Amino acid sequence: QVQLVQSGGGLVQAGGSLRLSCAASGSTFSSYAMGWFRQAPGKEREIVAAINWSGGSTYYGDSVKGRFTISRDNAKNTLYLQMNSLKPEDTAVYYCAARSATYGPSWGASQWEYTYWGQGTQVTVSS
């Protein structure tokens, strides 16, 4: 099993930046592909970004391409999401997640493939 504890987030003005962190414990972090998801009020949870086990392959949702960067430090068992040029429409609760080992070490875009989830953290972007 993997336990995921998130930090970061908060309130920022449009155009600003934030970094989210997700610290993993309990299992071999480097064996899991990881993802960031978000859910805005009244909307479905959507993928923001995903990364394979080594960090060598990444995926971004269309709405964040060119603005957000996902990365990981396997030595520190930590996943990151650097968010730049934030927009009010980025306002949501953000979740980190570990993809089920059943799917192997590559990233996946479906939330249903992710087994372990962080507690969520609020990101609010004011206009």
Side-chain angles (χ1 to χ4, degrees), residues 1-3 25-28 32 116:
Q1 288 196 348
V2 179
Q3 290 80 47
S25 63
S27 189
T28 307
Y32 291 91
Y116 305 106

Side-chain angles (χ1 to χ4, degrees), residues 31-56:
S31 64
Y32 291 91
M34 300 293 295
W36 286 100
F37 295 80
R38 68 185 182 186
Q39 188 167 20
K43 294 188 176 181
E44 298 281 328
R45 185 175 296 184
E46 64 174 354
I47 189 164
V48 175
I51 191 167
N52 76 334
W53 71 277
S54 67

Side-chain angles (χ1 to χ4, degrees), residues 2-127:
V2 179
Q3 290 80 47
L4 302 173
V5 178
Q6 298 177 221
S7 60
L11 174 65
V12 65
Q13 288 189 331
S17 298
L18 284 174
R19 188 174 84 157
L20 305 182
S21 298
C22 175
S25 63
S27 189
T28 307
F29 175 68
S30 60
S31 64
Y32 291 91
M34 300 293 295
W36 286 100
F37 295 80
R38 68 185 182 186
Q39 188 167 20
K43 294 188 176 181
E44 298 281 328
R45 185 175 296 184
E46 64 174 354
I47 189 164
V48 175
I51 191 167
N52 76 334
W53 71 277
S54 67
S57 179
T58 57
Y59 167 87
Y60 294 94
D62 288 341
S63 61
V64 306
K65 283 180 182 176
R67 300 187 297 121
F68 290 13
T69 302
I70 188 172
S71 62
R72 64 191 297 162
D73 186 337
N74 287 342
K76 295 183 178 179
N77 292 343
T78 303
L79 175 74
Y80 303 100
L81 184 68
Q82 178 67 42
M83 305 183 291
N84 298 329
S85 302
L86 282 160
K87 304 175 181 180
E89 50 264 44
D90 294 318
T91 295
V93 178
Y94 284 70
Y95 299 89
C96 65
R99 192 169 185 238
S100 171
T102 301
Y103 298 99
S106 300
W107 56 259
S110 171
Q111 61 174 311
W112 308 113
E113 297 174 353
Y114 288 76
T115 303
Y116 305 106
W117 292 82
Q119 80 275 20
T121 187
Q122 178 70 45
V123 171
T124 302
V125 185
S126 63
S127 57

